[in-house]
Amino acid sequence: MTDKIDFGTEAWIQQLMVELNNSEDYAEAAKNWEGDIYFVVEPKGSQLTEKVYMYVDLWHGKCRHAEVPDDPTKFKPEFTISGTVKSFKEVIDDGLDPMKAMLTRKLKLTGNMAKIMRNVKSANQLVHCCTFIPTNFPLE
Amino acid sequence: MWYFRSPEIVFGEDALDHLDTLQGKRAFIVTDPMMLELGFVDLVAAHLTDAGLTVGTFPDVEPEPSVQTIRTGAEKMLAFEPDWIVGLGGGSAMDAAKAMWALYENPGLDPADINPFEPLGLRRKARLIVIPTTSGTGSEATWATVLTDTAENRKLGTGSPEMVADIAIVDPALPAKMPPRLTADTGLDALTHAIEGYTCSLRNDFSDAVCLKAAQLVFEYLPRAVKNGDDAEAREKMHNAATLAGLGFGNAMAALAHSMGHSLGAIFHVPHGRAVALFLPYTIQFIQRGDAETRFHEISRFLGLPASTPDEGAISLVTAIRDLSREVGQPLSLKETLGDGVSRADFDAALDALVANAEADSVIAMGDRIPTTDEVRQLFEYAYEGKNIDF
Ligand SMILES: [Zn+2]
């Protein structure tokens, strides 16, 4: 039994980078994707005391960099996806369709929407890679 | 949590009379030249005038409306200042009305920036009535709009949940003049909406109900409506079927056949319904061969087709769709669809773009099996030859 990794930590985002770079399916689906992302985790309803910003730089099917910066202004990513720990858990753990999560505003997206809509396949594979990480979600 | 959104639907004989009861000042009709010619614009304008409204018209929506047309129409709208917008016509006119409305409420908005994830702030200035004159697109019941970016030769499928019309007038007198070919194309579009709506990843109990009924109506009444355009019962049932299917996929999603059909339409200008229905059997075969549980057999069971196992049900459905297509004179392969004017070399030259466009269409990821790039290419190639899917 693998130890679970806390969601919203440096260890978790590093593991996501490993999973993305190991995934042939992600590499295929995201081969044309260029763009970096902040996953912004809202503390509401969780053990977190403040917002956590998890950064990934995604480039042609690979993850070039992943980090939870001390100072969120360190990166100016093209996209942000924000939500509570519970919302992220619903998508990653409980099979909530990511499109549905965004359409019901459980996850809020900022950035070029048309670009996201043209790349739903890679977004799906990105979420799929998250499901490979044994994750502990720090809910209240 | 999920939503079931619907306009107020006024249907059946004389549904247009409902327009006489509208409260408002100024109505702006968005339509196409054919509607003027058929006298439908005058007919609708007369009802609106009876209701005491001043009427303006933008009759210049082209098939596959371009982003430029949307901008032009929105400018006319801004000058006219309507409190009702009326989309009158097939999918193109209704889609155009929705997008112009978004720009009218948000001057300067880039149509490409319309999206379902952020509030659009509609209904501060006007509300929307849609009046379909074909039976298939379902646009009268959905929040989607499909525009064409002529610069990039690409369809821009977008929308916002706020863009569901306030009122849909589903009057069977309007599609009664459709020629057989258009009846078949649009009717098969409705069938594709019903089947993809029932089997896509965002399906739900509410959309399931309307999808099944819509599919049943199409199988029963489309051949009659195509053979005899004066069959009033068939016309009315097909008009209802199209709106039901619109409610179905509009509150769930479309899927693979639509991503391929949009792509084909943008490059070879095949009518939308003919394109999506052509691909539908191939995509059912492809999805059925995947690992996920499917539910094509549930549709077959509802239709009374052999469906003792999921595989048998899927095969029955594919056969039934092909039989129906043949009966109403539709092509079964892409080669047949494109005709003699397009050679195999032309098709091969376009294949990269066909694949890229289909992959960039968000609905491609909404089925129970998501194809890789190579599989999308193979799907097009098999459909071209009319070969059953074996991968
Ligand atoms: Zn359609």
Side-chain angles (χ1 to χ4, degrees), chain B residues 131-154:
Chain B
I131 309 176
T133 59
T134 62
S135 305
T137 155
S139 181
E140 66 276 14
T142 76
W143 52 259
T145 175
V146 180
L147 309 176
T148 297
D149 186 337
T150 35
E152 295 194 40
N153 217 14
R154 191 170 69 196

Side-chain angles (χ1 to χ4, degrees), chain A residues 28 31 105 113 117-118 121, chain B residues 115 117 359-360 362 371 373:
Chain A
E28 212 278 330
K31 59 185 175 300
R105 316 258 155 93
M113 302 293 168
M117 294 297 278
R118 285 197 304 272
K121 261 178 79 173
Chain B
N115 73 78
F117 307 120
E359 288 217 281
S362 61
T373 306

Side-chain angles (χ1 to χ4, degrees), chain B residues 150-163:
Chain B
T150 35
E152 295 194 40
N153 217 14
R154 191 170 69 196
K155 298 259 174 167
L156 185 67
T158 183
S160 156
E162 293 174 47
M163 281 162 62

